[in-house]
Amino acid sequence: MKLFDVYSILNVKLQQSKGVYVFDQQNNMYLDFYGGHAVISIGHSHPNYIQSLTNQINQISYYSNSVIIHQQQKLANLLGKSSGYEEYSLFLCNSGTESNENALKIASFHTGKKKVIAFKGAFHGRTSGSVSVTDNYKLVSPFNTQHNITFLKYKDLDLLEKELQHEDVCAVITEGIQGISGIIDPGSNFFCQATKICKKYDAVFIVDEVQSGYGRTGLFFAHQLYSIKPDLITIAKGMGNGFPIGAVLIHPKFKPYHGMLGTTFGGSHLACTAGISVLEIIKKENLIANAKLMGELLLQKLHIISSIKKIRGRGLMMGLEFDFTVDDLKNVLIFKEKVFVGVSSNPYVLRLLPPLSIKECHVNLFVKKLKNALSFLGKT
């Protein structure tokens, strides 16, 4: 049987990882400044993480949500305390797209409505509801077009209010910082005004922190820079450091009932153990503060590279914009300089999403490799 060919795949076979490095079958060492789409939060193969999962799998790895899984409440307690959302409830699932599906479903149950407002450049996932609020027509099949969605620009706050005045909108959904579109921060004015408008017209405000959350920006959630509290917050990528897990943080105003939501694999013993280990390591090693500090250092060093025309983002979620398309730069960085980076739907933007555990030496090494790659391409 052949694999269904849907991925653009680098000709690299990885077989080992440690800290902020990954190694291929020829034992070449790559500096990881992409973290597998922002998934690697605490670093690769952290010994405490490995030990926690090993201990758990030797006890019990899985049973369904028909029994008490005590690790779920421990994870909820840690997450509430770490994020500052202790009064919220937690629903566990397996991925970012599932988190957004469930958030949209909760909003629709709560309001009795089905229309959703999303934003230009958005990416919220690939399953039916999540892809319908994703601004990429290539991902949306005719089956997915059944949903009632309106896409707006972030600056169109007057238009947002006009849409909500019709009183047929169940939810407004935005990313904390847009990732795939090239690291776009909606900004203070958007978050503050959107929160007020949603409250005024009883629409649910959902913030997708799947990529921008879990300390990546130097705060637990990107939106916390703006002192707002969304109704629903979705999380996933950095939550399990590679183990599949996602969740929705749910405001107390939403009332659950048995059967309202469900999942076969979400919240399993292993998934929760991974989630608990990540939060414990983040706290013990002060990784959120480190993300802020290393982000500031990286920003300072990148500012002196003249071929970078614009730097977007915060902490360790950065987009570097050039006046040339970055595919060749990405390939030189990966195959010649041995450093993993990412691209975006903006062909001029290179995306950086390294583990939160990077140190000054890794920042210096990345900057050196970037300069080497730009010099090789004659872009200095």
Side-chain angles (χ1 to χ4, degrees):
M1 180 184 291
K2 293 191 299 183
L3 295 172
F4 200 47
D5 188 11
V6 293
Y7 298 113
S8 297
I9 297 178
L10 298 168
N11 188 23
V12 179
K13 295 180 182 178
L14 298 178
Q15 67 173 9
Q16 193 176 354
S17 62
K18 187 174 179 62
V20 300
Y21 295 98
V22 290
F23 303 81
D24 66 18
Q25 289 185 333
Q26 289 72 46
N27 208 35
N28 292 309
M29 183 172 74
Y30 298 76
L31 177 66
D32 187 5
F33 254 59
Y34 191 55
H37 308 302
V39 166
I40 301 300
S41 50
I42 59 171
H44 293 277
S45 305
H46 194 290
N48 293 3
Y49 174 84
I50 291 172
Q51 190 61 58
S52 295
L53 285 171
T54 301
N55 292 343
Q56 185 58 54
I57 205 167
N58 283 325
Q59 296 170 25
I60 179 171
S61 60
Y62 173 80
Y63 206 77
S64 74
N65 283 293
S66 60
V67 301
I68 294 170
I69 300 172
H70 69 87
Q71 291 92 339
Q72 292 182 354
Q73 189 59 59
K74 182 175 181 181
L75 175 58
N77 291 343
L78 280 172
L79 180 53
K81 188 173 291 187
S82 299
S83 66
Y85 279 92
E86 288 181 276
E87 75 276 24
Y88 279 47
S89 297
L90 185 69
F91 176 76
L92 292 161
C93 52
N94 306 285
S95 65
T97 191
E98 288 178 60
S99 301
N100 286 322
E101 289 282 344
N102 283 290
L104 292 166
K105 191 172 184 179
I106 292 167
S108 187
F109 273 133
H110 180 75
T111 62
K113 301 169 187 176
K114 61 182 181 180
K115 184 175 180 180
V116 177
I117 305 294
F119 295 91
K120 297 288 186 180
F123 184 92
H124 295 290
R126 294 176 180 268
T127 51
S128 188
S130 298
V131 81
S132 73
V133 292
T134 290
D135 186 25
N136 186 338
Y137 73 93
K138 293 180 180 179
L139 308 182
V140 181
S141 74
F143 172 72
N144 304 133
T145 59
Q146 64 185 293
H147 301 283
N148 188 355
I149 311 297
T150 297
F151 287 96
L152 302 177
K153 295 179 180 177
Y154 282 123
K155 65 181 181 181
D156 289 339
L157 290 167
D158 290 339
L159 188 52
L160 174 61
E161 181 154 17
K162 286 179 182 176
E163 289 286 343
L164 293 181
Q165 283 173 350
H166 297 302
E167 297 188 344
D168 59 349
V169 174
C170 79
V172 174
I173 184 168
T174 179
E175 289 156 270
I177 293 177
Q178 287 188 341
I180 286 179
S181 67
I183 314 298
I184 306 298
D185 189 339
S188 176
N189 187 54
F190 168 79
F191 276 111
C192 294
Q193 293 303 315
T195 302
K196 290 177 184 176
I197 296 168
C198 285
K199 196 169 187 178
K200 182 177 177 181
Y201 295 101
D202 196 29
V204 175
F205 190 42
I206 303 170
V207 177
D208 174 346
E209 293 274 8
V210 167
Q211 187 172 131
S212 56
Y214 256 69
R216 180 149 295 280
T217 64
L219 295 168
F220 197 91
F221 292 127
H223 71 262
Q224 288 175 314
L225 181 66
Y226 306 119
S227 301
I228 59 124
K229 282 206 164 185
D231 298 307
L232 300 168
I233 305 162
T234 58
I235 52 176
K237 290 188 185 297
M239 191 177 182
N241 205 55
F243 198 100
I245 183 171
V248 188
L249 279 66
I250 304 166
H251 189 281
K253 71 182 180 183
F254 299 99
K255 303 305 177 187
Y257 58 86
H258 288 182
M260 179 184 182
L261 306 174
T263 169
T264 297
F265 299 107
S268 71
H269 296 79
L270 272 179
C272 289
T273 298
I276 290 164
S277 181
V278 165
L279 287 172
E280 288 177 341
I281 291 165
I282 284 174
K283 181 181 179 181
K284 183 178 179 182
E285 300 184 5
N286 296 311
L287 293 187
I288 296 177
N290 187 68
K292 185 175 186 295
L293 183 63
M294 291 299 104
E296 290 169 351
L297 179 64
L298 181 58
L299 185 65
Q300 176 187 333
K301 291 180 178 292
L302 291 173
H303 266 310
I304 63 174
I305 300 177
S306 60
S307 51
I308 301 175
K309 302 308 176 187
K310 190 179 291 185
I311 303 173
R312 290 196 290 270
R314 286 184 271 125
L316 296 180
M317 184 177 189
M318 281 193 188
L320 312 184
E321 185 170 329
F322 298 85
D323 59 6
F324 55 87
T325 57
V326 298
D327 278 346
D328 288 344
L329 177 58
K330 179 201 75 170
N331 288 332
V332 171
L333 281 167
I334 293 171
F335 294 108
K336 186 175 185 298
E337 292 299 323
K338 298 293 187 288
V339 52
F340 275 109
V341 293
V343 291
S344 71
S345 59
N346 182 336
Y348 298 93
V349 174
L350 202 68
R351 239 182 339 151
L352 308 180
L353 301 161
L356 309 187
S357 55
I358 62 168
K359 295 180 170 61
E360 184 174 354
C361 61
H362 305 124
V363 170
N364 292 335
L365 181 59
F366 171 76
V367 172
K368 178 183 176 182
K369 288 175 176 290
L370 178 59
K371 287 179 178 178
N372 288 345
L374 289 167
S375 179
F376 180 82
L377 292 169
K379 300 294 186 179
T380 53

